Amino acid sequence: MKSHQTAQTMKPATAAKKLGVYLEATPAEFQEGVVSRAELNALQADPPEWLRELRANGPHPRPVVAAKLGVSIAGLARGGITEPLTTEQIDALKRDRPDWLERERATQAEVRKEAVRIREKNAERGDQS
């Protein structure tokens, strides 16, 4: 017996998320179709001009904006950032260093330090048993 494998497909929103781009900024044909796993792999391996442009200049989705600013997605919301931002807007925020951004970066640094502390504590427990 031979099993016939069907091509795994995903919605454009899922593909955009995996590509790290804002769906509404992608071409209409991308937004309206479905994306196969092979097509996604091809886009990642050899991105077309529109994908390179979006990754370089945006607009970027919130997870990408948060990562570029070094804050959490919740921190973006607390700072009043609810819309996608372009690379230029992100760079301006980094230059201007508003108070909320400094607070959120400090909070994120504390969260990371705590995560390291917990990991080390757990590793220590593992060594003792």
Side-chain angles (χ1 to χ4, degrees):
M1 250 201 277
K2 236 183 189 179
S3 66
H4 294 284
Q5 238 181 2
T6 58
Q8 184 181 16
T9 60
M10 62 194 83
K11 295 178 181 174
T14 304
K17 190 174 188 178
K18 289 179 181 290
L19 292 169
V21 295
Y22 183 57
L23 176 64
E24 284 74 17
T26 61
E29 59 270 10
F30 180 85
Q31 293 179 37
E32 294 162 2
V34 293
V35 181
S36 72
R37 175 65 63 188
E39 289 169 330
L40 179 69
N41 291 341
L43 286 169
Q44 289 173 325
D46 185 23
E49 182 58 36
W50 65 265
L51 182 54
R52 285 195 299 274
E53 179 69 23
L54 275 179
R55 285 178 169 168
N57 301 314
H60 302 288
R62 284 181 306 157
V64 174
V65 173
K68 286 178 180 269
L69 290 173
V71 300
S72 66
I73 294 172
L76 281 180
R78 285 190 293 270
I81 306 294
T82 57
E83 297 297 316
L85 298 179
T86 63
T87 300
E88 188 177 304
Q89 291 169 315
I90 292 168
D91 291 344
L93 280 171
K94 286 179 180 177
R95 270 192 316 275
D96 298 345
R97 302 174 70 115
D99 289 342
W100 70 265
L101 181 57
E102 293 301 312
R103 274 193 313 275
E104 292 302 332
R105 282 182 167 173
T107 300
Q108 195 67 9
E110 288 299 316
V111 167
R112 285 190 195 106
K113 274 200 300 196
E114 181 65 8
V116 168
R117 186 190 69 77
I118 290 170
R119 240 187 331 243
E120 288 171 352
K121 186 175 179 181
N122 289 341
E124 205 173 274
R125 278 190 196 148
D127 291 344
Q128 291 175 357
S129 53

